[in-house]
Amino acid sequence: MLGNFTYCNPTKLYFGESALDGLKEELNKYGKNVLLVYGGGSIKKNGLYDAVIKILKECGKNVYEDGGVMPNPTSEKLIEGCERARAANADLILAVGGGSVCDYSKAVSVSAYCGGDPWEKYFIRFEEPDCKIIPVGCVLTMVGTGSEMNGGSVITNREQKLKIGHVFGENVFPKFAVLNPKITYTLPKYQMVAGIYDIMCHILEQYFSGTDDNTSDYIMEGLLRSLIHSADIAVENPEDYEARSNIMWTATWALNTLVARGKTTDWMVHMLGQSVGAYTDATHGMTLSAVSLPYYRYILPYGEEKFARYAVNVWNVNPEGKSKREVAEDGLLAMEAWMKKTGLVMNLTDLGAKPEMLDGMVKSTLIMDGGYKIFNADDVRAVLKASF
Ligand code: NZQ
Ligand code: ZN
């Protein structure tokens, strides 16, 4: 383990079929006014909305609602959410949904009283909150982002064609998260699979960095093996509780800051994916799957050792009689075959991207500097071009 770090994760988790029982206990810690945030209506169809309202009423809360949070929440919607939070004088924001609802709720929590334009403050100037922060709690319905136990908040500005994430500190992490794997059963298969790849990508963004012997890498190999195993089962039978619960738990650990300890981490696949998202509004996990292999093949020569280790330890590639490069490449071939079998989108065309968007996407891609090759605009262009 290289470097110096601190580690603290303040989010309390309630996990399992009875996880919603924990909500009552948590609600009693906050004042009367609760802003209930949710998405486009899936929670009304699957009964979760009624179950949550019942608990809120039993706890004597005044419930204010902010529904209609879209996938890839926008800066415009954020302004509306701030107005609602202030009008409700919210003591707690209860996010009931996937990563979009959780991310949006965190953005509202730091923006309602920020006194300026939150997009400019947090997503362009990357300032930290210096105002009252409304506490957030989550009831998670879709698995993948890790938003339930981290400070991430990704907002899209449609006008500026930018999709940008701000990773806030511990004071913005959800205070608690309710994780019941059964709630994810109603998720369409496309979303389930996109979430599975989002998890894989989060792990790989942290794995493919550094050359030291690092405990975090061993933890990540274990998480990847579990994810691949459970994903294969869940794709065949989405109602396999054991598989869905393992996927849910893996998602949380993939991006709750633990495995990033002692790592520089890369995040270029996410930067590319976010730029694609800004132009297409496509499902987050699918934007990542479409650019991943072109990206990994592009950087493989700079991180050959790690790609070979990945091939052997995660994809069971037999290294006997092969050069390191061949082993590394075989790992990516195995990954590619698995991605196709799992039903992931493998190119940008299938997400509605057009070659004329390329210039804009290159411009919108933020460059990170923790991976095996530090990109410039030409590298970004080459990878995006190869992803069509
Ligand atoms: O809006 P509703 O009607 O609820 O439908 C949603 C939405 O259409 C549906 N859904 C969710 N749970 C369901 C369900 N449908 C049926 N049954 C359920 N149980 O699924 C659709 C997608 O939901 P969304 O929340 O958008 O998906 P996800 O969890 O993948 O979140 C994506 C957002 O998170 C950001 C992404 O960029 C994107 O904006 N990310 C956040 C991160 C973080 N906080 O650290 C990191 C990630 O890398 C990611 O960037
Ligand atoms: Zn992601």
Side-chain angles (χ1 to χ4, degrees):
M1 300 290 290
L2 295 180
N4 303 292
F5 57 82
T6 56
Y7 180 69
C8 170
N9 193 311
T11 305
K12 181 167 179 179
L13 297 181
Y14 293 85
F15 190 93
E17 287 181 60
S18 306
L20 201 57
D21 294 349
L23 185 57
K24 212 177 229 175
E25 191 182 324
E26 290 302 319
L27 288 176
N28 289 331
K29 297 178 185 168
Y30 300 91
K32 286 236 172 260
N33 299 331
V34 176
L35 183 68
L36 176 64
V37 177
Y38 54 93
S42 69
I43 66 163
K44 291 198 170 162
K45 284 193 206 126
N46 64 16
L48 182 59
Y49 174 86
D50 290 339
V52 168
I53 289 283
K54 184 165 174 272
I55 295 170
L56 284 163
K57 293 288 171 204
E58 281 167 8
C59 293
K61 302 295 181 187
N62 304 321
V63 182
Y64 301 85
E65 298 199 16
D66 182 9
V69 178
M70 60 293 279
N72 309 320
T74 64
S75 50
E76 268 184 325
K77 175 71 184 164
L78 172 57
I79 300 293
E80 185 194 314
C82 292
E83 282 160 12
R84 283 176 191 258
R86 284 194 301 268
N89 194 14
D91 298 306
L92 175 75
I93 299 175
L94 185 61
V96 184
S100 293
V101 169
C102 296
D103 277 21
Y104 168 85
S105 297
K106 283 181 249 179
V108 172
S109 82
V110 295
S111 302
Y113 298 104
C114 81
D117 176 352
W119 169 257
E120 288 291 325
K121 180 178 171 68
Y122 296 122
F123 300 93
I124 297 293
R125 297 198 301 273
F126 284 98
E127 291 174 17
E128 292 311 318
D130 46 13
C131 57
K132 174 177 158 186
I133 300 172
I134 307 169
V136 172
C138 299
V139 178
L140 193 68
T141 66
M142 144 119 201
V143 169
T145 63
S147 189
E148 67 277 11
M149 203 183 190
N150 70 33
S153 175
V154 184
I155 297 294
T156 298
N157 186 313
R158 285 188 179 157
E159 204 184 315
Q160 295 175 16
K161 293 234 179 298
L162 288 171
K163 181 177 183 187
I164 296 180
H166 186 132
V167 181
F168 291 100
E170 286 154 30
N171 49 350
V172 184
F173 280 43
K175 301 294 176 218
F176 62 88
V178 170
L179 309 181
N180 175 354
K182 279 201 168 161
I183 290 177
T184 69
Y185 284 2
T186 53
L187 201 61
K189 201 163 187 177
Y190 186 85
Q191 293 292 342
M192 178 186 82
V193 168
I196 287 169
Y197 191 73
D198 195 19
I199 303 168
M200 177 172 279
C201 190
H202 292 159
I203 302 172
L204 296 181
E205 299 270 39
Q206 298 166 96
Y207 183 75
F208 288 125
S209 69
T211 52
D212 57 320
D213 187 39
N214 189 317
T215 299
S216 294
D217 287 332
Y218 297 85
I219 299 174
M220 286 190 269
E221 285 164 357
L223 290 174
L224 285 166
R225 292 184 75 88
S226 169
L227 177 68
I228 294 161
H229 176 77
S230 293
D232 288 347
I233 297 168
V235 166
E236 288 302 314
N237 177 13
E239 299 208 355
D240 186 299
Y241 181 82
E242 195 170 50
R244 294 303 285 270
S245 62
N246 282 329
I247 293 168
M248 191 169 220
W249 194 227
T250 304
T252 301
W253 285 95
L255 198 54
N256 71 356
T257 74
L258 177 83
V259 298
R261 295 310 92 183
K263 306 277 307 179
T264 55
T265 73
D266 185 350
W267 296 108
M268 268 319 292
V269 174
H270 270 68
M271 296 306 106
L272 293 159
Q274 282 174 204
S275 159
V276 170
Y279 276 79
T280 60
D281 201 26
T283 298
H284 171 65
M286 296 306 192
T287 65
L288 306 174
S289 62
V291 300
S292 277
L293 284 165
Y295 176 73
Y296 291 134
R297 292 196 163 114
Y298 197 84
I299 65 162
L300 183 148
Y302 308 90
E304 194 178 274
E305 189 78 31
K306 193 60 162 286
F307 278 94
R309 171 175 164 172
Y310 170 64
V312 174
N313 291 356
V314 176
W315 295 104
N316 303 321
V317 170
N318 181 355
E320 257 172 61
K322 292 178 193 155
S323 69
K324 201 147 268 175
R325 175 65 64 90
E326 285 167 337
V327 175
E329 285 171 351
D330 281 357
L332 292 185
L333 281 175
M335 179 180 172
E336 183 172 13
W338 179 83
M339 288 172 76
K340 286 181 177 159
K341 181 183 86 175
T342 304
L344 290 158
V345 175
M346 301 301 284
N347 64 70
L348 294 181
T349 311
D350 290 351
L351 294 178
K354 306 263 181 301
E356 55 267 28
M357 294 175 181
L358 189 61
D359 285 347
M361 289 199 287
V362 173
K363 256 204 218 138
S364 294
T365 304
L366 301 182
I367 307 264
M368 307 304 272
D369 60 4
Y372 289 124
K373 176 167 173 42
I374 300 180
F375 265 33
N376 58 35
D378 291 338
D379 297 316
V380 170
R381 179 179 297 277
V383 170
L384 286 173
K385 228 174 158 182
S387 305
F388 271 94

